[in-house]
Amino acid sequence: MGNKQAALENQQKLEAGRKALMSSTGLIETDCEFLESLYKKNAGIKPSVNLYGEYGYDPKVSRWTPDGFATYMECHPEIAKAMFKMMDEDGDGTLDFDEFAKGYGFITKGSAAQRLNLLFKIFDLDDSDTLDKAEVRVMVRTIITAFNDAAVSSSGPGGNSIAAQAKLMKAKKAAAKVDPAKLEKQFAKEVERTTTAIFKVCDANNDGDIDRKEFLSALEPKSAKDPTPKCPEIVKVLNLFEGGSIKQWNCLGKFIEVNGAEPKEGDFDKADPASSITTPVQERKRTDTMSPGCAQQ
């Protein structure tokens, strides 16, 4: 009788835990089951253990480290690093199941603010927890170019939705009609226009840097009567990640790996006191399509 009661209570805790996770993240039950199985398999935890209670988590022996996360999730290292930093709420260098499951939900099902927060972490090249104009230019240029390459190659992120696929095909058709040199000039203008707009809205104290809170303010409504985001330009960038699948973020990481994501000489404002990113610039060849392996994700 005691064993049956214990099993019933454990099942109730499991169902309650899944319900709470689904409610806070937008995940569905099959997502929860997948994450539970994946976490247990790569943490040496028995299949019968309920992860929504006390399961003996020990950060000292946990294999859910930054490297482990990249491996188990088959996630590109550049992107995995940023995702892990966003998930590791207590900063102990490992992920317990709660951090892992909620973080996965926020990345794949999350709000525009959560996607924007992830972009902030990816393009904070000097780990200063701020973005200067050079880093914002790199972010905008990399995302726009990666999306265009994905469209032109027809093997990029795409996402799972019909809307995302239609968006890629529209970009592919538009790019095919434009001379490459003219397209490059259009990109340069769009990068500068978007960067200027982001700084005009976000750099509230005009110190040449945007911190995380300032960056997220781009999504705030213009006024109580006007729900339009203060910076529609950043919304356009975020819309390229509509759907939020790991596959889309992986493709961005692979593009960065092949093409680089370091500031160019012209990215630094002459009068910008904060334009000294120490990230080493490496010579990298640009490919004609999205980076290798994207289509196989």
Side-chain angles (χ1 to χ4, degrees), residues 87-233:
M87 291 180 173
D88 186 18
E89 294 180 353
D90 59 11
D92 68 353
T94 65
L95 299 178
D96 62 26
F97 179 71
D98 187 61
E99 290 174 323
F100 168 62
K102 286 182 178 177
Y104 180 89
F106 292 153
I107 290 167
T108 59
K109 309 284 186 180
S111 65
Q114 287 156 343
R115 294 199 302 276
L116 194 59
N117 188 39
L118 181 53
L119 285 177
F120 184 96
K121 288 184 178 292
I122 292 171
F123 290 99
D124 178 16
L125 303 177
D126 57 1
D127 291 321
S128 64
D129 211 31
T130 62
L131 299 177
D132 62 21
K133 276 194 176 179
E135 289 170 316
V136 173
R137 286 189 181 105
V138 170
M139 178 188 71
V140 175
R141 180 171 58 241
T142 301
I143 292 172
I144 291 176
T145 309
F147 178 79
N148 177 73
D149 281 11
V152 172
S153 68
S154 296
S155 61
N160 299 318
S161 68
I162 294 175
Q165 292 292 344
K167 192 180 297 179
L168 271 181
M169 293 312 297
K170 183 178 179 180
K172 179 179 174 64
K173 290 178 181 178
K177 299 177 181 178
V178 183
D179 177 73
K182 186 177 180 180
L183 191 63
E184 188 173 342
K185 288 182 179 180
Q186 288 180 353
F187 277 172
K189 287 182 179 179
E190 181 68 12
V191 168
E192 195 57 32
R193 188 184 69 81
T194 302
T195 300
T196 300
I198 291 172
F199 262 82
K200 183 178 180 180
V201 170
C202 298
D203 188 16
N205 58 2
N206 294 312
D207 65 350
D209 288 319
I210 298 174
D211 62 29
R212 191 189 314 277
K213 184 178 179 181
E214 289 177 323
F215 195 51
L216 294 177
S217 72
L219 298 175
E220 294 176 357
K222 290 182 177 180
S223 68
K225 294 183 178 180
D226 186 356
T228 306
K230 289 180 181 178
C231 187
E233 290 80 8

Side-chain angles (χ1 to χ4, degrees), residues 66-67 69-70 75-85 118-119 121-125 249-258 260-262 279 282 284:
D67 290 340
F69 175 80
C75 189
H76 191 276
E78 292 280 351
I79 303 303
K81 177 183 175 183
M83 288 181 175
F84 189 93
K85 285 170 67 177
L118 181 53
L119 285 177
K121 288 184 178 292
I122 292 171
F123 290 99
D124 178 16
L125 303 177
W249 294 101
N250 268 344
C251 282
L252 176 61
K254 289 177 179 178
F255 180 90
I256 292 172
E257 178 183 39
V258 172
E262 295 85 9
T279 304
Q282 300 175 2
R284 305 195 187 193

